Amino acid sequence: MDFTLKIWRQENANAKGRFETYKINDISPDCSFLEMLDILNESLVNKLSHPVCFDNDCREGICGMCGLYINGHPHGPDQAITTCQLHMRKFKDKETIVIEPWRAKPFPIIRDLVVDRTALDKIIQEGGYVSVTTGGIPDGNAIPIPKYKADQAMDSASCIGCGACVAACKNASAMLFVSAKVTQLSLLPQGKPESSIRVQKMVAKMDELGFGNCTNTYACEAECPKEIKCSNIAKMNREFLFAKVCTEENI
Amino acid sequence: MTTLNSKTPEGELSEKWTKYKASQKLVNPANKRKLDVIVVGTGLAGSSAAASLGALGFNVKIFCISDSPRRAHSIAAQGGINAAKNYQNDGDSVERLFYDTIKGGDYRAREANVYRLAEVSNSIIDQCVAQGVPFARDYSGMLDNRSFGGAQVSRTFYAKGQTGQQLLLGAYSALSKEIKAGTVKMYERREMMDLVLVDNQARGIITRNLQNGEIERWSAHAVVIATGGYGNVYFLSTNAMNCNGSAAIQCYKRGAYFANPCYVQIHPTCIPVHGEYQSKLTLMSESLRNDGRIWVPKKIEDAQAIREGRLKPTEIAEQDRDYYLERRYPAFGNLVPRDIASRAAKERCDAGYGVGAGFAVYLDFKTAIERLGRDKIHERYGNLFQMYEKIVDVDPYENPMMIYPAVHYTMGGLWVDYELQTTIPGLFATGEANFSDHGANRLGASALMQGLADGYFVLPYTMQNFLSDKIHQPRISVESQEFENAEKAVKEKIEKIISIKGEKTVDSLQRELGHIMWEYVGMGRNAENLKKAIPLLSDLRKKFWSNVRVVGDTTSMNPELEKAIRLADHIELAEVMAKDALQREESCGGHYREEFVTEEGEAKRDDENFKFVGVWEYKGEGQDPIMHKEELNYEFIKVQQRNYK
Amino acid sequence: MKLIQFASITKKMALAAFGLFLLLFLPVHLGINLCLLREDGGEWYRNASHFMGTNYIVKVFEIVLMASVLLHIIIAILLTIENFLARPVKYKVKSKTKTKTGSKYMIITGVVIACFLVLHFINFYFVKLDLIEGKYTAEIEKIDKHFQQKALKLQKGELNEKEQAQLMAQYQAISQVSQEKMDMSQKNLVNLSKEEVKLYCGEDFEEYEPDFYVMSQDLFSNRLYSIIYIFVFVILGLHLSHAIKSIAQTFGLNHNKYNYAIELVANSYAILIPIGFALIPIWIMYIK
């Protein structure tokens, strides 16, 4: 298969970026999208030009490192996958593919298609945990957890922190990411004691970092590679309202 | 010369760890603040160690190669984590987990370490539950278990097919808490470039900031290496793209001994290679072998026809299929341990019965679907089937899956004593980066257990014991001569690589390395091939240092340069691996020498001559490393032949 | 960038709360409008308007309602600016993510509705507030009664000169009233200006108030206005199609057991309310 690639190139955060066009030929339909970029990069190195930088690591859809905005979709046109799980057979022969980095104010570009997503870690650091230290804890079975709740918590916990929800949202909001963690921990008895303070702190941090506001378009849900549901956001809103109105724990 | 003293405490096996903890030296809280620890790597082992040390009050700096600790490859572990909880009342105990791990490791692990691992395994589960890890539960609300290879009990705890992810996120959350508290400082997108020794003690590291190429110096009282395994030496493996053995090699070159480099685990159920451009291999969970049957065509002409696309696997009649695992190992059938299943697949493909491109066998669910129904299979393996279909574009409900073995885990690593300290004082190694508790072969669901055991429950004690002596040692400046020299050497090395401006891309050399390793130091090894590999590797090293092409500069993000630096280290590592494989004239666990087989074609261990850990000492550029031996004494366990027939 | 110093969720809840109040008002308004469909010469409609214009409880609600409208608009605009700033560099390829149309264009549909609201206020609400002059209707019976009272006074000689002159002018005006200002039933004088009302009824006639029935009949007889009106209500439907579900989501009412019910209410509301409103111009244009 042959493709025309339009790729965003930008030397560093302050440089002015531009789109560059590359032709790439004889790509197998079984080739993954990132392998296609590997092939492009090898050809660029052979021509002594700088290869396209893009984040990637596990290449099996779990680490959340890869993330490209391909033809108007975060992680490309397929459903419930990350960029590394996208295969070229999903494209038409001779198609023009436009590849852009995640765009959001809290995600500054480092180089080309690589963006800095540490903002997401900063939100977690505000309270996306149960404040236990190592040791001195009860037996794992000391507190029974209803199966459906454990399962729901697992669904929320399967977030891989790739930032596709932010990239997909027209407002660059991180609500799905934040709510997945808030929901997971508030469903479990271990996370309950801190749930009121957690939701307030994490939301405040999210706002401070410059993410947009949620307008319930559900674009995040549509593009989430792990199919995390927007019901998490509703649950977080509920937690937030409760924390503000019914508890004395205000930040 | 450092002698190999494992520092195993005296006494009964079950008492050793308790006694150690009771008699170790402690550091009072006021002094902890004055002691700095560097942790390199943010996987399960690194994150859990940093979080625990930070919570104790030490000043911790943690270095992450990616943008977030949550990217570490621990996240990709699917199956589960073992613990001897005996919640199922099926006769499990610390002793049994200990025994299974030693036996699974083909009697090449240190007894005391493995026993301790089994002992603390239970606390890991409690710790993770307390952190909010959503382990699978049954309808009573209690923790659920599943069974795994190499054990007769159900002791594996799991969170869907994403146990590694959930455990890593648990450790990551503990780490995040400490970062917020200020006890741990996080440095992301940094790669370790060298270890700095001051008075023969590990006192710091040199890193490269991957965002802008800056070379940075960091000092501390102790350094923990938690950088994972070196499976990427084979180029194609189930490891992530950023996994590398560079940090371990830097320590090795600074004087830390490297143990058992030849022990590499090959996982039997991976999606086969489909093209030259392929960058990595995807693992399909071992659990598939519970219901899938592995076969190749019985007639070589059928295999030929399949490879040429003239025949479909579904068209081959039942009597023309060779279920070779069931044929060779009637007792365990398709559920033989990983190393055995892998070798059997390779044997069939080498004999010309391979399907696909010649390097694949079928994993067929036809009988299982007939027996249990499609829905049941979907319920059990739905996500794996979907993953397979996404990658291969073949419906595994209708056609048999194609699988082939791939490099998965490295049992070898930096040599450590009972305290997880390497031969360099102040340098600790944990997780897959050390030579670990798995001997010559690791059992499924044990890697997560080891990483977390070391990080949460071993290092906080043993490091404290070490650091208690250092309270009078002041913080040292990174301006000292040792740091100066180390940084200079790193910069020179980078300059040298970038100024070669040769013809060969890093990827092409990496593939070449992978090819040599897979061909000659792969699943089946023999003296002839290993002897061939050593000169090939030194040629490759020369080729690299004279003809590699790295474009771009050193002062901005440059993945080509990163890969080149790692490749240089990997070539050196490959040479030690080949040497170690050559000296070990026996077959055990992941190390299979074709000359040493029983009459039935099974691995033949030589306990008389090789019941030791092969420990390699670096002797300088261009010099042959020397091997030391740590004899393994089994005081509490009876060494037996593994038998799965 | 934060333009208002509240948590994002707080802002979103405020937006939703004000929106919710507007949602509650819409059916009331629709109910009054539907009186136009009654062939009673506007009796019900006039009574309803009168009630809405004079009842004190309604007046309190009116203030809350107007505040809701303003705050709903202001918060929406500020949030939109904030959201715009959250992605300073836009994508080259427009998002192809599948989302509901209503949710994507809330601000655009909102602006259309706001523009219509301005027109609507000019046509009706400002008239009611007496900022703009509207059309009036005078009941002949009442004028007669009032006139006769004055005539009686005149006979008794209780009127001064000025008042006498006024009465004369009034008499003349009434006798010369044009045919077009008389409605068919001969009961009322319609389409009067404020001046004319004063002229016909006298300065001291207090009961006159703008006749919204006549005004709406007038407006709907304008085809262009009717088409704009129908268009706006299609847009409102789009806005509403997202509104209720979004409010539920914002306040955390998302539960597998009740989502279906919420969906049902939301969809019926978003369809029925705009249809109800649009029915009136359609009725007037094509059926009546």
Side-chain angles (χ1 to χ4, degrees):
Chain A
M1 297 172 92
D2 303 337
F3 300 100
T4 305
L5 305 173
K6 285 202 165 106
I7 303 178
W8 182 260
R9 303 301 304 264
Q10 182 173 340
E11 271 65 47
N12 55 56
N14 304 318
K16 198 170 155 22
R18 73 222 166 262
F19 279 97
E20 293 219 352
T21 308
Y22 305 95
K23 294 257 182 230
I24 187 160
N25 302 324
D26 299 328
I27 295 293
S28 153
D30 289 333
C31 190
S32 84
F33 195 84
L34 295 186
E35 283 161 2
M36 183 273 294
L37 288 179
D38 287 342
I39 295 171
L40 171 74
N41 277 347
E42 194 151 8
S43 76
L44 287 177
V45 173
N46 279 329
K47 283 184 240 157
L48 287 175
S49 33
H50 203 287
V52 180
C53 292
F54 59 93
D55 263 337
N56 70 99
D57 197 13
C58 77
R59 297 212 177 184
E60 50 187 270
I62 191 76
C63 75
M65 188 80 173
C66 62
L68 302 174
Y69 193 83
I70 303 160
N71 282 354
H73 287 283
H75 293 309
D78 204 357
Q79 290 300 303
I81 52 151
T82 57
T83 306
C84 61
Q85 293 173 299
L86 179 66
H87 284 74
M88 297 316 290
R89 64 179 88 94
K90 289 281 163 193
F91 295 91
K92 288 194 274 303
D93 194 21
K94 310 260 187 295
E95 193 172 338
T96 299
I97 304 172
V98 186
I99 311 171
E100 299 174 72
W102 279 180
R103 298 275 192 203
K105 188 162 166 272
F107 291 171
I109 290 182
I110 297 173
R111 180 166 199 160
D112 297 342
L113 303 168
V114 178
V115 298
D116 182 1
R117 281 169 293 187
T118 44
L120 298 179
D121 294 295
K122 292 198 181 104
I123 298 175
I124 296 291
Q125 283 158 19
E126 281 304 303
Y129 42 75
V130 178
S131 299
V132 287
T133 47
T134 308
I137 39 192
D139 186 85
N141 261 348
I143 312 167
I145 302 174
K147 182 174 160 52
Y148 80 97
K149 279 204 174 181
D151 289 349
Q152 273 179 8
M154 179 61 221
D155 288 342
S156 303
S158 60
C159 168
I160 57 173
C162 63
C165 44
V166 180
C169 177
K170 71 183 180 65
N171 312 325
S173 168
M175 285 284 273
L176 191 64
F177 171 81
V178 179
S179 66
K181 188 47 78 183
V182 166
T183 303
Q184 178 209 339
L185 294 178
S186 66
L187 278 168
L188 299 171
Q190 288 82 6
K192 264 273 182 296
E194 291 169 274
S195 61
S196 290
I197 202 80
R198 175 185 303 118
V199 65
Q200 296 183 66
K201 279 187 172 174
M202 286 178 78
V203 168
K205 192 71 185 177
M206 169 183 81
D207 295 345
E208 181 199 316
L209 290 166
F211 290 100
N213 305 287
C214 175
T215 53
N216 302 337
T217 67
Y218 302 172
C220 47
E221 181 180 285
E223 295 291 358
C224 176
K226 295 293 152 192
E227 299 185 299
I228 290 173
K229 297 277 168 277
C230 278
S231 51
N232 287 292
I233 298 182
K235 167 101 173 132
M236 174 163 83
N237 293 339
R238 206 150 68 216
E239 290 280 330
F240 184 83
L241 189 64
F242 179 82
K244 285 282 182 203
V245 177
C246 306
T247 70
E248 292 179 359
E249 284 181 299
N250 281 332
I251 53 158
Chain B
M1 199 190 86
T2 330
T3 49
L4 288 172
N5 176 5
S6 70
K7 294 196 206 152
T8 307
E10 293 300 313
E12 266 294 306
L13 191 59
S14 58
E15 301 288 307
K16 285 180 196 284
W17 183 233
T18 320
K19 274 195 182 147
Y20 178 89
K21 286 194 285 185
S23 57
Q24 65 156 120
K25 284 174 280 180
L26 299 174
V27 184
N28 92 33
N31 283 331
K32 281 181 187 141
R33 284 194 287 276
K34 296 179 195 156
L35 294 165
D36 301 340
V37 177
I38 283 174
V39 179
V40 188
T42 55
L44 278 181
S47 291
S48 57
S52 303
L53 291 166
L56 283 175
F58 293 106
N59 270 314
V60 183
K61 296 188 186 83
I62 186 162
F63 295 86
C64 176
I65 197 169
S66 313
D67 64 342
S68 165
R70 65 188 304 157
R71 315 288 182 216
H73 203 50
S74 309
I75 206 155
Q78 297 168 347
I81 177 165
N82 287 334
K85 280 283 194 187
N86 194 26
Y87 282 155
Q88 306 302 326
N89 193 30
D90 54 2
D92 200 7
S93 63
V94 169
E95 282 70 25
R96 200 172 286 274
L97 175 55
F98 159 68
Y99 175 74
D100 286 345
T101 309
I102 290 274
K103 181 190 173 198
D106 223 352
Y107 302 94
R108 289 293 176 266
R110 195 188 288 146
E111 255 185 344
N113 284 50
V114 179
Y115 193 88
R116 177 179 63 189
L117 174 67
E119 214 177 327
V120 301
S121 66
N122 291 342
S123 308
I124 298 172
I125 302 303
D126 301 339
Q127 183 67 34
C128 294
V129 168
Q131 285 169 346
V133 170
F135 280 120
R137 301 208 167 233
D138 57 27
Y139 285 100
S140 66
M142 299 295 160
L143 291 161
D144 197 16
N145 289 116
R146 58 163 65 141
S147 46
F148 238 74
Q152 287 160 306
V153 292
S154 271
R155 64 158 75 98
T156 305
F157 294 81
Y158 64 100
K160 265 191 175 170
Q162 290 139 273
T163 319
Q165 180 198 26
Q166 292 314 314
L167 295 178
L168 180 64
L169 292 182
Y172 162 70
S173 69
L175 185 66
S176 297
K177 169 180 158 275
E178 294 307 321
I179 292 172
K180 178 70 184 169
T183 54
V184 177
K185 287 230 157 43
M186 165 88 204
Y187 299 93
E188 69 279 335
R189 292 197 194 259
R190 301 298 205 291
E191 183 161 9
M192 177 169 159
M193 288 285 121
D194 204 356
L195 178 75
V196 182
L197 301 186
V198 178
D199 300 331
N200 283 324
Q201 189 196 322
R203 287 308 298 270
I205 60 167
I206 305 290
T207 62
R208 182 167 179 273
N209 184 331
L210 302 181
Q211 295 180 72
N212 54 23
E214 246 169 66
I215 306 295
E216 301 154 325
R217 312 170 185 185
W218 311 93
S219 73
H221 293 90
V223 176
V224 180
I225 299 293
T227 52
Y230 48 87
N232 269 346
V233 168
Y234 290 85
F235 185 61
L236 282 182
S237 76
T238 63
N239 284 9
M241 305 308 283
N242 283 336
C243 291
N244 67 77
S246 249
I249 278 296
Q250 289 149 21
C251 297
Y252 164 68
K253 285 168 108 177
R254 287 282 176 189
Y257 292 2
F258 206 100
N260 293 337
C262 76
Y263 290 157
V264 176
Q265 181 169 80
I266 317 273
H267 200 292
T269 49
C270 298
I271 298 175
V273 179
H274 54 75
E276 180 61 21
Y277 48 82
Q278 188 153 6
S279 55
K280 79 153 275 175
L281 296 168
T282 304
L283 177 81
M284 303 298 286
S285 171
E286 181 166 314
S287 60
L288 287 173
R289 284 196 282 143
N290 279 315
D291 286 311
R293 297 176 71 195
I294 295 174
W295 64 276
V296 291
K298 209 173 253 175
K299 298 182 197 147
I300 202 154
E301 55 274 19
D302 282 352
Q304 179 97 24
I306 285 177
R307 286 200 293 271
E308 287 163 9
R310 286 183 283 117
L311 200 63
K312 283 188 188 137
T314 43
E315 291 165 1
I316 294 182
E318 199 58 38
Q319 66 272 15
D320 291 331
R321 298 175 175 196
D322 175 15
Y323 296 95
Y324 57 88
L325 285 178
E326 294 169 26
R327 170 168 60 80
R328 285 177 65 179
Y329 308 98
F332 274 67
N334 294 299
L335 277 172
V336 289
R338 289 175 178 176
D339 51 342
I340 294 171
S342 297
R343 276 197 294 276
K346 182 176 155 58
E347 187 272 329
R348 280 292 83 189
C349 292
D350 288 349
Y353 292 91
V355 294
F359 293 100
V361 298
Y362 288 125
L363 176 62
D364 204 333
F365 285 85
K366 196 174 127 233
T367 18
I369 291 173
E370 280 165 9
R371 180 163 47 92
L372 301 162
R374 194 188 155 110
D375 290 345
K376 191 80 195 160
I377 294 297
H378 176 79
E379 189 192 312
R380 283 189 192 169
Y381 310 111
N383 58 340
L384 293 167
F385 276 39
Q386 186 208 6
M387 188 161 100
Y388 181 86
E389 196 176 349
K390 287 266 185 222
I391 294 173
V392 188
D393 203 20
V394 169
D395 180 6
Y397 292 101
E398 301 298 328
N399 300 287
M401 274 185 188
M402 282 192 288
I403 53 159
Y404 199 65
V407 173
H408 179 54
Y409 186 90
T410 51
M411 279 72 70
L414 291 171
W415 184 88
V416 289
D417 58 21
Y418 188 72
E419 296 188 300
L420 303 183
Q421 188 165 212
T422 66
T423 47
I424 299 176
L427 180 69
F428 293 78
T430 171
E432 193 180 345
N434 72 24
F435 86 112
S436 91
D437 309 331
H438 307 298
N441 178 49
R442 177 178 67 77
L443 286 183
S446 279
L448 300 179
M449 173 171 70
Q450 186 225 342
L452 289 180
D454 291 356
Y456 285 134
F457 300 109
V458 180
L459 278 179
Y461 293 93
T462 63
M463 284 191 78
Q464 209 171 158
N465 192 38
F466 169 80
L467 288 166
S468 63
D469 291 342
K470 309 295 172 224
I471 50 172
H472 303 299
Q473 210 169 51
R475 291 199 165 107
I476 50 165
S477 157
V478 291
E479 302 302 324
S480 71
Q481 196 57 45
E482 288 86 350
F483 279 94
E484 190 74 46
N485 293 344
E487 182 181 315
K488 206 170 136 225
V490 167
K491 281 187 169 160
E492 276 167 8
K493 182 180 173 188
I494 293 173
E495 270 316 312
K496 194 173 166 193
I497 290 175
I498 207 138
S499 60
I500 296 168
K501 299 199 190 314
E503 300 285 318
K504 291 271 181 188
T505 62
V506 182
D507 279 354
S508 70
L509 290 172
Q510 216 159 1
R511 271 196 284 269
E512 210 171 305
L513 171 65
H515 186 73
I516 296 171
M517 291 304 282
W518 184 247
E519 276 306 302
Y520 302 111
V521 199
M523 254 191 288
R525 302 157 176 180
N526 58 55
E528 196 189 335
N529 277 346
L530 289 168
K531 280 177 189 153
K532 269 189 214 158
I534 293 166
L536 282 174
L537 289 169
S538 70
D539 283 352
L540 185 67
R541 183 216 290 257
K542 281 184 206 116
K543 206 192 279 183
F544 175 87
W545 286 105
S546 62
N547 204 15
V548 73
R549 167 182 290 180
V550 179
V551 293
D553 52 30
T554 56
T555 53
S556 61
M557 180 174 260
N558 190 346
E560 286 296 306
L561 179 61
E562 293 164 26
K563 283 192 283 184
I565 297 170
R566 290 170 205 160
L567 178 58
D569 290 335
H570 278 175
I571 296 173
E572 298 201 23
L573 188 47
E575 292 183 86
V576 193
M577 287 167 74
K579 281 175 184 151
D580 190 43
L582 185 61
Q583 69 77 21
R584 191 164 283 278
E585 295 181 325
E586 62 161 350
S587 295
C588 68
H591 172 68
Y592 180 75
R593 285 281 295 263
E594 284 153 359
E595 307 98 304
F596 304 99
V597 287
T598 62
E599 280 157 15
E600 297 132 319
E602 297 305 325
K604 193 167 144 201
R605 219 172 56 217
D606 181 354
D607 289 331
E608 193 116 334
N609 300 310
F610 289 94
K611 205 170 80 218
F612 62 79
V613 180
V615 190
W616 293 83
E617 183 190 358
Y618 183 71
K619 278 297 180 187
E621 198 81 50
Q623 309 269 334
D624 274 340
I626 1 175
M627 193 189 73
H628 304 269
K629 291 178 185 178
E630 184 204 342
E631 289 295 336
L632 293 167
N633 302 314
Y634 287 96
E635 295 170 29
F636 303 93
I637 238 174
K638 196 167 152 263
V639 179
Q640 289 171 324
Q641 195 64 39
R642 287 199 304 172
N643 183 9
Y644 293 96
K645 293 229 171 199
Chain C
M1 201 177 88
K2 273 169 90 174
L3 297 170
I4 337 173
Q5 294 304 314
F6 283 108
S8 55
I9 299 182
T10 312
K11 288 182 262 188
K12 153 178 159 138
M13 283 182 177
L15 186 71
F18 294 128
L20 180 63
F21 195 79
L22 302 183
L23 284 181
L24 296 178
F25 173 67
L26 270 183
V28 177
H29 195 317
L30 176 62
I32 297 168
N33 282 17
L34 287 177
C35 296
L36 284 171
L37 299 182
R38 242 180 91 91
E39 298 281 350
D40 62 355
E43 193 188 335
W44 276 30
Y45 185 79
R46 285 198 182 98
N47 288 343
S49 310
H50 179 74
F51 173 78
M52 294 304 281
T54 49
N55 185 288
Y56 284 101
I57 297 171
V58 174
K59 279 191 175 172
V60 173
F61 271 103
E62 187 183 309
I63 295 165
V64 180
L65 182 70
M66 285 306 138
S68 293
V69 170
L70 276 180
L71 286 168
H72 188 74
I73 292 173
I74 291 168
I75 296 173
I77 291 171
L78 289 175
L79 285 180
T80 306
I81 296 170
E82 280 186 11
N83 291 344
F84 186 82
L85 295 174
R87 179 168 289 135
V89 185
K90 308 289 169 205
Y91 291 112
K92 183 171 188 253
V93 181
K94 266 192 85 185
S95 170
K96 294 209 183 72
T97 305
K98 277 202 188 94
T99 48
K100 294 258 170 65
T101 320
S103 70
K104 222 185 303 183
Y105 301 115
M106 280 309 262
I107 191 68
I108 296 171
T109 51
V111 166
V112 171
I113 294 161
C115 289
F116 174 76
L117 219 51
V118 172
L119 183 68
H120 189 65
F121 279 7
I122 292 171
N123 285 340
F124 294 95
Y125 188 60
F126 292 158
V127 172
K128 185 184 111 55
L129 295 182
D130 214 8
L131 299 171
I132 291 176
E133 197 185 304
K135 298 273 172 61
Y136 293 80
T137 294
E139 276 178 53
I140 290 178
E141 225 173 275
K142 276 190 183 169
I143 295 174
D144 255 8
K145 211 170 157 193
H146 190 67
F147 191 72
Q148 276 164 20
Q149 275 171 5
K150 279 197 177 169
L152 212 65
K153 279 185 179 173
L154 182 69
Q155 281 173 4
K156 288 182 185 164
E158 286 171 9
L159 293 183
N160 60 26
E161 240 170 70
K162 200 181 164 200
E163 284 166 332
Q164 285 176 18
Q166 254 179 31
L167 192 64
M168 283 310 291
Q170 209 180 340
Y171 177 73
Q172 260 178 354
I174 293 171
S175 59
Q176 282 169 14
V177 72
S178 60
Q179 202 52 216
E180 68 187 62
K181 298 221 157 140
M182 284 286 229
D183 74 351
M184 303 298 274
S185 60
Q186 301 280 316
K187 270 164 87 183
N188 295 326
L189 297 180
V190 294
N191 258 344
L192 306 178
S193 71
K194 206 169 181 178
E195 275 305 308
E196 286 169 317
V197 178
K198 281 182 186 167
L199 198 58
Y200 296 143
C201 307
E203 293 278 335
D204 50 347
F205 187 80
E206 279 169 3
E207 281 178 36
Y208 53 82
E209 55 186 64
D211 186 349
F212 295 111
Y213 178 75
V214 171
M215 285 154 69
S216 52
Q217 295 286 341
D218 265 11
L219 277 175
F220 287 130
S221 61
N222 179 341
R223 193 161 277 256
L224 180 67
Y225 180 85
S226 297
I227 288 168
I228 291 174
Y229 189 89
I230 293 167
F231 168 75
V232 165
F233 277 94
V234 171
I235 296 293
L236 180 73
L238 213 53
H239 199 78
L240 292 179
S241 72
H242 181 61
I244 296 184
K245 270 178 273 181
S246 186
I247 290 171
Q249 168 80 0
T250 299
F251 287 107
L253 303 175
N254 185 322
H255 190 289
N256 273 339
K257 278 186 186 164
Y258 309 114
N259 281 349
Y260 180 74
I262 294 174
E263 187 111 335
L264 192 72
V265 170
N267 289 341
S268 339
Y269 186 97
I271 293 169
L272 294 180
I273 294 282
I275 284 183
F277 277 102
L279 208 58
I280 295 153
I282 292 170
W283 176 270
I284 290 172
M285 276 197 298
Y286 297 107
I287 299 168
K288 200 173 163 182

